[in-house]
Amino acid sequence: MTSIKNTALPLEWKITDGLTSYDESMAFMAQRVADIHQGTAPELVWFLQHPPLYTAGTSAKSSDLLQPDRFPIYDVGRGGQYTYHGPGQRVVYVMLDLARRGRDVRKYVFQLEQWIIVTLAEFNVTAERREGRVGVWVTRDGPKKEKPEEKTEEKIAAIGVRVRKWVSFHGICINVEPNLDHYSGIVPCGISGHGVTSLADLGLPVAMHEVDAVLKHKWAFIFGE
């Protein structure tokens, strides 16, 4: 009998419609990560949406939680600070066996960022990294027409990664059409002085399935498969 422990199983893609509870998603990921480590399940890229909630990463500061009674708050083991999840935001949990992908977490985070950047480029959005700031950012003209040179930088996507036994989980989220007012209950990722935006806020009425299709298409260009 042949064991599949050391056999690279084909990557699985999963899209869950509707809203998935955070507890349910965490339990599913924990089990899947264990199974991937054991070699009994394939790597997985999971597309979903959550009901409105805040998550606190390992570096979260209590002072960045501005409205503690607004939405449920979950302490999670990923890196980073406070993040919002909610309807209209595409969350993608990425469970990969980094042991066979070079054991390079920094490279993996760079790949996630690049995946977002090339995906948004397909919708004519110039998204970029910023030194010293997590996530992916866009630059916009100032709010006053008479002073368009007063540029603003706003966050359009977030990244939070955790690795257990060299298997990754958590992942990315891209703001497609969430309620941006929901971000006012936190200092997103501990970064003040900058706003948050979305594809809809940028005047791009993009459907969620269109974002999914481009993410899936661009995967091979970034992760090489």
Side-chain angles (χ1 to χ4, degrees):
M1 180 175 179
T2 302
S3 170
I4 63 173
K5 169 66 178 176
N6 297 315
T7 302
L9 300 171
L11 178 74
E12 180 182 348
W13 297 85
K14 174 183 174 72
I15 298 178
T16 300
D17 295 328
L19 302 180
T20 303
S21 77
Y22 201 74
D23 286 333
E24 179 185 344
S25 67
M26 293 303 103
F28 179 90
M29 275 200 292
Q31 184 61 56
R32 187 56 170 255
V33 165
D35 292 342
I36 292 171
H37 175 68
Q38 291 296 322
T40 58
E43 298 175 314
L44 175 66
V45 182
W46 183 18
F47 296 77
L48 68 156
Q49 297 181 70
H50 287 305
L53 59 92
Y54 297 132
T55 65
T58 55
S59 302
K61 301 176 182 177
S62 59
S63 59
D64 289 340
L65 181 58
L66 306 179
Q67 299 177 23
D69 299 324
R70 188 169 188 182
F71 298 125
I73 302 163
Y74 294 87
D75 291 319
V76 294
R78 61 155 176 79
Q81 302 186 42
Y82 280 105
T83 300
Y84 167 75
H85 292 311
Q89 181 190 74
R90 175 48 87 209
V91 174
V92 187
Y93 290 137
V94 183
M95 287 151 269
L96 299 183
D97 183 359
L98 300 184
R100 69 177 185 85
R101 292 173 177 268
R103 296 178 184 251
D104 190 336
V105 176
R106 183 172 296 183
K107 176 184 176 182
Y108 171 60
V109 172
F110 182 91
Q111 289 174 315
L112 290 177
E113 293 170 339
Q114 196 63 25
W115 190 32
I116 296 168
I117 289 169
V118 298
T119 294
L120 293 177
E122 289 295 302
F123 301 104
N124 297 314
V125 174
T126 301
E128 301 171 306
R129 301 173 181 85
R130 285 292 179 265
E131 185 69 29
R133 292 190 229 145
V134 295
V136 175
W137 300 76
V138 297
T139 302
R140 304 177 70 176
D141 291 337
K144 296 181 179 180
K145 292 182 179 180
E146 62 272 18
K147 293 184 178 181
E149 70 280 1
E150 293 184 358
K151 307 289 185 180
T152 62
E153 292 187 349
E154 298 179 338
K155 191 172 186 176
I156 194 168
I159 297 171
V161 169
R162 186 176 181 182
V163 176
R164 178 183 293 166
K165 296 181 179 179
W166 287 109
V167 180
S168 69
F169 56 126
H170 295 280
I172 69 171
C173 59
I174 299 175
N175 288 341
V176 180
E177 194 175 6
N179 185 338
L180 295 179
D181 178 65
H182 289 178
Y183 280 93
S184 63
I186 58 172
V187 177
C189 299
I191 301 171
S192 58
H194 299 282
V196 179
T197 191
S198 66
L199 289 171
D201 186 50
L202 294 173
L204 299 169
V206 179
M208 193 71 73
H209 69 86
E210 294 177 290
V211 175
D212 295 347
V214 176
L215 281 167
K216 191 170 183 179
H217 175 68
K218 294 296 183 180
W219 177 267
F221 294 92
I222 304 303
F223 295 92
E225 57 188 59

mmCIF file of all heavy atoms in Angstrom, residues 170-211:
data_model
loop_
_atom_site.group_PDB
_atom_site.id
_atom_site.type_symbol
_atom_site.label_atom_id
_atom_site.label_comp_id
_atom_site.label_asym_id
_atom_site.label_seq_id
_atom_site.Cartn_x
_atom_site.Cartn_y
_atom_site.Cartn_z
ATOM 1 N N HIS A 170 -4.696 31.385 7.628
ATOM 2 C CA HIS A 170 -5.149 32.773 7.460
ATOM 3 C C HIS A 170 -4.781 33.182 6.031
ATOM 4 O O HIS A 170 -4.740 32.347 5.146
ATOM 5 C CB HIS A 170 -4.568 33.683 8.545
ATOM 6 C CG HIS A 170 -5.064 33.326 9.918
ATOM 7 N ND1 HIS A 170 -6.295 33.714 10.383
ATOM 8 C CD2 HIS A 170 -4.504 32.581 10.894
ATOM 9 C CE1 HIS A 170 -6.472 33.236 11.610
ATOM 10 N NE2 HIS A 170 -5.406 32.534 11.934
ATOM 11 N N GLY A 171 -4.537 34.448 5.732
ATOM 12 C CA GLY A 171 -4.255 34.797 4.344
ATOM 13 C C GLY A 171 -4.476 36.258 4.027
ATOM 14 O O GLY A 171 -3.842 37.125 4.627
ATOM 15 N N ILE A 172 -5.403 36.543 3.094
ATOM 16 C CA ILE A 172 -5.587 37.909 2.601
ATOM 17 C C ILE A 172 -7.063 38.285 2.640
ATOM 18 O O ILE A 172 -7.941 37.424 2.732
ATOM 19 C CB ILE A 172 -5.070 38.063 1.155
ATOM 20 C CG1 ILE A 172 -5.968 37.295 0.170
ATOM 21 C CG2 ILE A 172 -3.617 37.613 1.042
ATOM 22 C CD1 ILE A 172 -5.663 37.557 -1.299
ATOM 23 N N CYS A 173 -7.330 39.582 2.561
ATOM 24 C CA CYS A 173 -8.691 40.053 2.313
ATOM 25 C C CYS A 173 -8.624 41.293 1.425
ATOM 26 O O CYS A 173 -7.757 42.146 1.595
ATOM 27 C CB CYS A 173 -9.457 40.329 3.606
ATOM 28 S SG CYS A 173 -8.712 41.545 4.701
ATOM 29 N N ILE A 174 -9.521 41.350 0.467
ATOM 30 C CA ILE A 174 -9.591 42.460 -0.483
ATOM 31 C C ILE A 174 -10.955 43.124 -0.337
ATOM 32 O O ILE A 174 -11.990 42.448 -0.337
ATOM 33 C CB ILE A 174 -9.406 41.965 -1.936
ATOM 34 C CG1 ILE A 174 -8.034 41.307 -2.105
ATOM 35 C CG2 ILE A 174 -9.566 43.118 -2.923
ATOM 36 C CD1 ILE A 174 -7.827 40.680 -3.474
ATOM 37 N N ASN A 175 -10.950 44.431 -0.218
ATOM 38 C CA ASN A 175 -12.209 45.168 -0.094
ATOM 39 C C ASN A 175 -12.845 45.340 -1.475
ATOM 40 O O ASN A 175 -12.377 46.135 -2.284
ATOM 41 C CB ASN A 175 -11.968 46.532 0.542
ATOM 42 C CG ASN A 175 -11.644 46.432 2.014
ATOM 43 O OD1 ASN A 175 -11.928 45.427 2.656
ATOM 44 N ND2 ASN A 175 -11.037 47.471 2.565
ATOM 45 N N VAL A 176 -13.900 44.590 -1.702
ATOM 46 C CA VAL A 176 -14.639 44.705 -2.957
ATOM 47 C C VAL A 176 -15.749 45.746 -2.794
ATOM 48 O O VAL A 176 -15.742 46.777 -3.457
ATOM 49 C CB VAL A 176 -15.209 43.346 -3.390
ATOM 50 C CG1 VAL A 176 -15.989 43.478 -4.703
ATOM 51 C CG2 VAL A 176 -14.075 42.321 -3.555
ATOM 52 N N GLU A 177 -16.678 45.480 -1.887
ATOM 53 C CA GLU A 177 -17.741 46.448 -1.616
ATOM 54 C C GLU A 177 -18.246 46.309 -0.170
ATOM 55 O O GLU A 177 -19.444 46.132 0.071
ATOM 56 C CB GLU A 177 -18.906 46.271 -2.590
ATOM 57 C CG GLU A 177 -19.883 47.422 -2.600
ATOM 58 C CD GLU A 177 -20.964 47.280 -3.656
ATOM 59 O OE1 GLU A 177 -21.024 46.220 -4.322
ATOM 60 O OE2 GLU A 177 -21.752 48.222 -3.817
ATOM 61 N N PRO A 178 -17.342 46.406 0.826
ATOM 62 C CA PRO A 178 -17.791 46.337 2.209
ATOM 63 C C PRO A 178 -18.324 47.694 2.677
ATOM 64 O O PRO A 178 -18.163 48.710 1.985
ATOM 65 C CB PRO A 178 -16.515 45.975 2.969
ATOM 66 C CG PRO A 178 -15.451 46.674 2.179
ATOM 67 C CD PRO A 178 -15.889 46.573 0.730
ATOM 68 N N ASN A 179 -18.952 47.717 3.833
ATOM 69 C CA ASN A 179 -19.349 48.969 4.475
ATOM 70 C C ASN A 179 -18.106 49.555 5.131
ATOM 71 O O ASN A 179 -17.677 49.102 6.194
ATOM 72 C CB ASN A 179 -20.438 48.705 5.509
ATOM 73 C CG ASN A 179 -20.974 49.985 6.128
ATOM 74 O OD1 ASN A 179 -20.314 51.023 6.119
ATOM 75 N ND2 ASN A 179 -22.171 49.931 6.675
ATOM 76 N N LEU A 180 -17.520 50.574 4.523
ATOM 77 C CA LEU A 180 -16.254 51.126 5.020
ATOM 78 C C LEU A 180 -16.407 51.808 6.369
ATOM 79 O O LEU A 180 -15.424 51.969 7.104
ATOM 80 C CB LEU A 180 -15.667 52.094 3.991
ATOM 81 C CG LEU A 180 -15.246 51.463 2.653
ATOM 82 C CD1 LEU A 180 -14.694 52.522 1.713
ATOM 83 C CD2 LEU A 180 -14.221 50.355 2.864
ATOM 84 N N ASP A 181 -17.629 52.204 6.725
ATOM 85 C CA ASP A 181 -17.844 52.809 8.043
ATOM 86 C C ASP A 181 -17.535 51.823 9.165
ATOM 87 O O ASP A 181 -17.208 52.234 10.281
ATOM 88 C CB ASP A 181 -19.280 53.308 8.167
ATOM 89 C CG ASP A 181 -19.569 53.902 9.531
ATOM 90 O OD1 ASP A 181 -18.959 54.942 9.864
ATOM 91 O OD2 ASP A 181 -20.383 53.315 10.280
ATOM 92 N N HIS A 182 -17.620 50.536 8.879
ATOM 93 C CA HIS A 182 -17.347 49.531 9.905
ATOM 94 C C HIS A 182 -15.897 49.566 10.380
ATOM 95 O O HIS A 182 -15.587 49.085 11.468
ATOM 96 C CB HIS A 182 -17.689 48.148 9.382
ATOM 97 C CG HIS A 182 -19.157 47.912 9.240
ATOM 98 N ND1 HIS A 182 -19.686 46.727 8.736
ATOM 99 C CD2 HIS A 182 -20.225 48.693 9.533
ATOM 100 C CE1 HIS A 182 -21.006 46.810 8.731
ATOM 101 N NE2 HIS A 182 -21.354 47.989 9.192
ATOM 102 N N TYR A 183 -15.015 50.142 9.573
ATOM 103 C CA TYR A 183 -13.616 50.260 9.975
ATOM 104 C C TYR A 183 -13.408 51.309 11.066
ATOM 105 O O TYR A 183 -12.357 51.341 11.707
ATOM 106 C CB TYR A 183 -12.749 50.628 8.772
ATOM 107 C CG TYR A 183 -12.396 49.462 7.880
ATOM 108 C CD1 TYR A 183 -13.180 49.138 6.777
ATOM 109 C CD2 TYR A 183 -11.271 48.684 8.121
ATOM 110 C CE1 TYR A 183 -12.857 48.079 5.950
ATOM 111 C CE2 TYR A 183 -10.939 47.623 7.299
ATOM 112 C CZ TYR A 183 -11.735 47.320 6.219
ATOM 113 O OH TYR A 183 -11.411 46.264 5.411
ATOM 114 N N SER A 184 -14.394 52.160 11.271
ATOM 115 C CA SER A 184 -14.222 53.251 12.234
ATOM 116 C C SER A 184 -14.167 52.768 13.676
ATOM 117 O O SER A 184 -13.799 53.515 14.570
ATOM 118 C CB SER A 184 -15.356 54.278 12.086
ATOM 119 O OG SER A 184 -16.617 53.693 12.388
ATOM 120 N N GLY A 185 -14.490 51.498 13.905
ATOM 121 C CA GLY A 185 -14.426 50.961 15.257
ATOM 122 C C GLY A 185 -13.042 50.537 15.696
ATOM 123 O O GLY A 185 -12.832 50.184 16.857
ATOM 124 N N ILE A 186 -12.080 50.557 14.772
ATOM 125 C CA ILE A 186 -10.703 50.160 15.080
ATOM 126 C C ILE A 186 -9.727 51.104 14.397
ATOM 127 O O ILE A 186 -10.105 51.896 13.528
ATOM 128 C CB ILE A 186 -10.407 48.723 14.599
ATOM 129 C CG1 ILE A 186 -10.659 48.609 13.087
ATOM 130 C CG2 ILE A 186 -11.221 47.693 15.373
ATOM 131 C CD1 ILE A 186 -10.217 47.276 12.480
ATOM 132 N N VAL A 187 -8.472 51.019 14.797
ATOM 133 C CA VAL A 187 -7.382 51.592 14.001
ATOM 134 C C VAL A 187 -6.860 50.427 13.169
ATOM 135 O O VAL A 187 -6.167 49.543 13.698
ATOM 136 C CB VAL A 187 -6.265 52.177 14.883
ATOM 137 C CG1 VAL A 187 -5.125 52.700 14.013
ATOM 138 C CG2 VAL A 187 -6.809 53.270 15.778
ATOM 139 N N PRO A 188 -7.225 50.347 11.884
ATOM 140 C CA PRO A 188 -6.891 49.160 11.087
ATOM 141 C C PRO A 188 -5.396 48.884 11.044
ATOM 142 O O PRO A 188 -4.598 49.748 10.654
ATOM 143 C CB PRO A 188 -7.431 49.500 9.696
ATOM 144 C CG PRO A 188 -8.486 50.538 9.939
ATOM 145 C CD PRO A 188 -7.982 51.329 11.115
ATOM 146 N N CYS A 189 -5.024 47.695 11.511
ATOM 147 C CA CYS A 189 -3.626 47.268 11.513
ATOM 148 C C CYS A 189 -2.718 48.210 12.285
ATOM 149 O O CYS A 189 -1.511 48.251 12.042
ATOM 150 C CB CYS A 189 -3.108 47.071 10.086
ATOM 151 S SG CYS A 189 -4.022 45.805 9.180
ATOM 152 N N GLY A 190 -3.312 49.011 13.177
ATOM 153 C CA GLY A 190 -2.530 49.921 13.996
ATOM 154 C C GLY A 190 -1.973 51.111 13.262
ATOM 155 O O GLY A 190 -1.101 51.826 13.780
ATOM 156 N N ILE A 191 -2.479 51.373 12.063
ATOM 157 C CA ILE A 191 -1.943 52.459 11.235
ATOM 158 C C ILE A 191 -2.960 53.588 11.182
ATOM 159 O O ILE A 191 -4.029 53.449 10.588
ATOM 160 C CB ILE A 191 -1.622 51.964 9.810
ATOM 161 C CG1 ILE A 191 -0.601 50.830 9.879
ATOM 162 C CG2 ILE A 191 -1.098 53.114 8.950
ATOM 163 C CD1 ILE A 191 -0.370 50.139 8.557
ATOM 164 N N SER A 192 -2.648 54.697 11.810
ATOM 165 C CA SER A 192 -3.538 55.854 11.793
ATOM 166 C C SER A 192 -3.057 56.865 10.749
ATOM 167 O O SER A 192 -1.929 56.786 10.260
ATOM 168 C CB SER A 192 -3.578 56.515 13.179
ATOM 169 O OG SER A 192 -2.285 56.909 13.587
ATOM 170 N N GLY A 193 -3.923 57.797 10.400
ATOM 171 C CA GLY A 193 -3.545 58.832 9.446
ATOM 172 C C GLY A 193 -3.764 58.458 7.995
ATOM 173 O O GLY A 193 -3.462 59.240 7.100
ATOM 174 N N HIS A 194 -4.275 57.261 7.756
ATOM 175 C CA HIS A 194 -4.550 56.812 6.396
ATOM 176 C C HIS A 194 -5.929 56.165 6.367
ATOM 177 O O HIS A 194 -6.361 55.537 7.328
ATOM 178 C CB HIS A 194 -3.499 55.817 5.910
ATOM 179 C CG HIS A 194 -2.116 56.379 5.858
ATOM 180 N ND1 HIS A 194 -1.696 57.202 4.838
ATOM 181 C CD2 HIS A 194 -1.074 56.258 6.709
ATOM 182 C CE1 HIS A 194 -0.428 57.554 5.062
ATOM 183 N NE2 HIS A 194 -0.032 56.990 6.193
ATOM 184 N N GLY A 195 -6.613 56.311 5.237
ATOM 185 C CA GLY A 195 -7.954 55.769 5.121
ATOM 186 C C GLY A 195 -7.982 54.350 4.599
ATOM 187 O O GLY A 195 -6.945 53.716 4.363
ATOM 188 N N VAL A 196 -9.203 53.862 4.431
ATOM 189 C CA VAL A 196 -9.454 52.540 3.873
ATOM 190 C C VAL A 196 -10.375 52.716 2.678
ATOM 191 O O VAL A 196 -11.298 53.536 2.710
ATOM 192 C CB VAL A 196 -10.108 51.616 4.914
ATOM 193 C CG1 VAL A 196 -10.382 50.253 4.309
ATOM 194 C CG2 VAL A 196 -9.229 51.488 6.148
ATOM 195 N N THR A 197 -10.130 51.974 1.624
ATOM 196 C CA THR A 197 -10.948 52.094 0.431
ATOM 197 C C THR A 197 -11.362 50.715 -0.072
ATOM 198 O O THR A 197 -11.044 49.690 0.533
ATOM 199 C CB THR A 197 -10.209 52.886 -0.672
ATOM 200 O OG1 THR A 197 -11.121 53.204 -1.725
ATOM 201 C CG2 THR A 197 -9.038 52.096 -1.241
ATOM 202 N N SER A 198 -12.091 50.697 -1.172
ATOM 203 C CA SER A 198 -12.558 49.439 -1.780
ATOM 204 C C SER A 198 -12.684 49.657 -3.275
ATOM 205 O O SER A 198 -12.612 50.796 -3.773
ATOM 206 C CB SER A 198 -13.915 49.044 -1.200
ATOM 207 O OG SER A 198 -14.912 49.981 -1.571
ATOM 208 N N LEU A 199 -12.902 48.592 -4.012
ATOM 209 C CA LEU A 199 -13.129 48.733 -5.444
ATOM 210 C C LEU A 199 -14.362 49.584 -5.711
ATOM 211 O O LEU A 199 -14.351 50.461 -6.589
ATOM 212 C CB LEU A 199 -13.273 47.350 -6.085
ATOM 213 C CG LEU A 199 -11.989 46.523 -6.174
ATOM 214 C CD1 LEU A 199 -12.302 45.095 -6.619
ATOM 215 C CD2 LEU A 199 -10.988 47.166 -7.128
ATOM 216 N N ALA A 200 -15.433 49.369 -4.957
ATOM 217 C CA ALA A 200 -16.646 50.162 -5.139
ATOM 218 C C ALA A 200 -16.393 51.628 -4.807
ATOM 219 O O ALA A 200 -16.868 52.528 -5.511
ATOM 220 C CB ALA A 200 -17.770 49.602 -4.264
ATOM 221 N N ASP A 201 -15.633 51.878 -3.742
ATOM 222 C CA ASP A 201 -15.315 53.246 -3.340
ATOM 223 C C ASP A 201 -14.487 53.960 -4.403
ATOM 224 O O ASP A 201 -14.561 55.184 -4.551
ATOM 225 C CB ASP A 201 -14.566 53.217 -2.008
ATOM 226 C CG ASP A 201 -14.327 54.610 -1.425
ATOM 227 O OD1 ASP A 201 -15.300 55.391 -1.340
ATOM 228 O OD2 ASP A 201 -13.174 54.913 -1.058
ATOM 229 N N LEU A 202 -13.719 53.200 -5.156
ATOM 230 C CA LEU A 202 -12.924 53.765 -6.246
ATOM 231 C C LEU A 202 -13.733 53.936 -7.529
ATOM 232 O O LEU A 202 -13.196 54.321 -8.563
ATOM 233 C CB LEU A 202 -11.710 52.871 -6.526
ATOM 234 C CG LEU A 202 -10.659 52.782 -5.417
ATOM 235 C CD1 LEU A 202 -9.619 51.720 -5.768
ATOM 236 C CD2 LEU A 202 -9.988 54.133 -5.180
ATOM 237 N N GLY A 203 -15.022 53.628 -7.453
ATOM 238 C CA GLY A 203 -15.894 53.782 -8.620
ATOM 239 C C GLY A 203 -15.888 52.598 -9.550
ATOM 240 O O GLY A 203 -16.258 52.723 -10.729
ATOM 241 N N LEU A 204 -15.516 51.428 -9.019
ATOM 242 C CA LEU A 204 -15.431 50.226 -9.837
ATOM 243 C C LEU A 204 -16.443 49.194 -9.336
ATOM 244 O O LEU A 204 -16.209 48.508 -8.338
ATOM 245 C CB LEU A 204 -14.016 49.643 -9.771
ATOM 246 C CG LEU A 204 -12.904 50.573 -10.279
ATOM 247 C CD1 LEU A 204 -11.545 50.022 -9.914
ATOM 248 C CD2 LEU A 204 -13.025 50.777 -11.779
ATOM 249 N N PRO A 205 -17.580 49.070 -10.003
ATOM 250 C CA PRO A 205 -18.615 48.127 -9.576
ATOM 251 C C PRO A 205 -18.274 46.700 -9.990
ATOM 252 O O PRO A 205 -18.873 46.124 -10.901
ATOM 253 C CB PRO A 205 -19.869 48.650 -10.277
ATOM 254 C CG PRO A 205 -19.345 49.277 -11.537
ATOM 255 C CD PRO A 205 -17.989 49.863 -11.180
ATOM 256 N N VAL A 206 -17.312 46.107 -9.308
ATOM 257 C CA VAL A 206 -16.830 44.777 -9.652
ATOM 258 C C VAL A 206 -17.559 43.732 -8.821
ATOM 259 O O VAL A 206 -17.715 43.883 -7.605
ATOM 260 C CB VAL A 206 -15.306 44.683 -9.405
ATOM 261 C CG1 VAL A 206 -14.796 43.285 -9.726
ATOM 262 C CG2 VAL A 206 -14.567 45.735 -10.237
ATOM 263 N N ALA A 207 -18.004 42.675 -9.458
ATOM 264 C CA ALA A 207 -18.685 41.600 -8.746
ATOM 265 C C ALA A 207 -17.667 40.685 -8.068
ATOM 266 O O ALA A 207 -16.534 40.532 -8.533
ATOM 267 C CB ALA A 207 -19.547 40.789 -9.717
ATOM 268 N N MET A 208 -18.087 40.076 -6.974
ATOM 269 C CA MET A 208 -17.194 39.206 -6.219
ATOM 270 C C MET A 208 -16.659 38.066 -7.081
ATOM 271 O O MET A 208 -15.478 37.720 -7.010
ATOM 272 C CB MET A 208 -17.922 38.657 -4.992
ATOM 273 C CG MET A 208 -17.012 37.993 -3.973
ATOM 274 S SD MET A 208 -15.962 39.170 -3.082
ATOM 275 C CE MET A 208 -17.169 39.951 -1.990
ATOM 276 N N HIS A 209 -17.519 37.481 -7.903
ATOM 277 C CA HIS A 209 -17.065 36.350 -8.724
ATOM 278 C C HIS A 209 -16.024 36.777 -9.750
ATOM 279 O O HIS A 209 -15.194 35.961 -10.178
ATOM 280 C CB HIS A 209 -18.249 35.662 -9.413
ATOM 281 C CG HIS A 209 -18.908 36.480 -10.489
ATOM 282 N ND1 HIS A 209 -18.461 36.481 -11.793
ATOM 283 C CD2 HIS A 209 -19.968 37.324 -10.449
ATOM 284 C CE1 HIS A 209 -19.219 37.282 -12.520
ATOM 285 N NE2 HIS A 209 -20.138 37.810 -11.735
ATOM 286 N N GLU A 210 -16.042 38.048 -10.148
ATOM 287 C CA GLU A 210 -15.016 38.539 -11.070
ATOM 288 C C GLU A 210 -13.664 38.621 -10.374
ATOM 289 O O GLU A 210 -12.623 38.283 -10.963
ATOM 290 C CB GLU A 210 -15.421 39.913 -11.606
ATOM 291 C CG GLU A 210 -16.662 39.910 -12.483
ATOM 292 C CD GLU A 210 -17.048 41.308 -12.924
ATOM 293 O OE1 GLU A 210 -17.495 42.108 -12.069
ATOM 294 O OE2 GLU A 210 -16.906 41.607 -14.120
ATOM 295 N N VAL A 211 -13.657 39.079 -9.137
ATOM 296 C CA VAL A 211 -12.418 39.109 -8.357
ATOM 297 C C VAL A 211 -11.892 37.687 -8.162
ATOM 298 O O VAL A 211 -10.692 37.427 -8.330
ATOM 299 C CB VAL A 211 -12.658 39.797 -6.999
ATOM 300 C CG1 VAL A 211 -11.398 39.723 -6.130
ATOM 301 C CG2 VAL A 211 -13.070 41.247 -7.195
#
